[in-house]
Amino acid sequence: QVQLVESGGGLVQPGDSLTLSCAASGLTFSTYTMGWFRQVPGKEREFVATIGGSGDTIRYADSVKGRFTISRANTKNALYLSMNSLKPEDTAVYSCAAGLHGGSSFRAYYRGQGTQVTVSS
């Protein structure tokens, strides 16, 4: 079956950097648009970034543009999110997803369970 497993979350201070990873299995990874999303308790899931199957088409939410970088390694079935200049408002559970279409039009076929990122001094 399809599995998406996130790792790399943790507690960091404002201004710090963190890189999240998503390991995918059970699917033809390179054929899917992949995305990162985040959710805070009591709020709706928020689009963060998406990347096309070949790594060409990339979209970011305005709130993370210039600070976060999404990338993928199709030979490793892996997705990454490099986060710089982290702010307290970036605190959330971050999850990866495999699906179609980019940006806010992304439609997920599969989602991971997520990893907690906490930005606090």
Side-chain angles (χ1 to χ4, degrees), residues 30-79:
S30 62
T31 65
Y32 287 89
T33 292
M34 297 297 296
W36 285 102
F37 297 79
R38 64 187 183 186
Q39 190 167 21
V40 175
K43 293 189 176 181
E44 289 190 0
R45 184 185 296 118
E46 176 188 17
F47 151 72
V48 174
T50 57
I51 184 168
S54 59
D56 50 355
T57 305
I58 293 176
R59 299 284 185 269
Y60 293 103
D62 288 343
S63 58
V64 306
K65 202 171 292 183
R67 299 189 298 121
F68 290 12
T69 302
I70 188 172
S71 62
R72 65 191 296 162
N74 287 344
T75 57
K76 298 180 180 180
N77 283 8
L79 177 72

Side-chain angles (χ1 to χ4, degrees), residues 3-5 22-27 29 34 76-79:
Q3 282 194 311
L4 300 175
V5 180
C22 171
S25 60
L27 76 170
F29 184 71
M34 297 297 296
K76 298 180 180 180
N77 283 8
L79 177 72

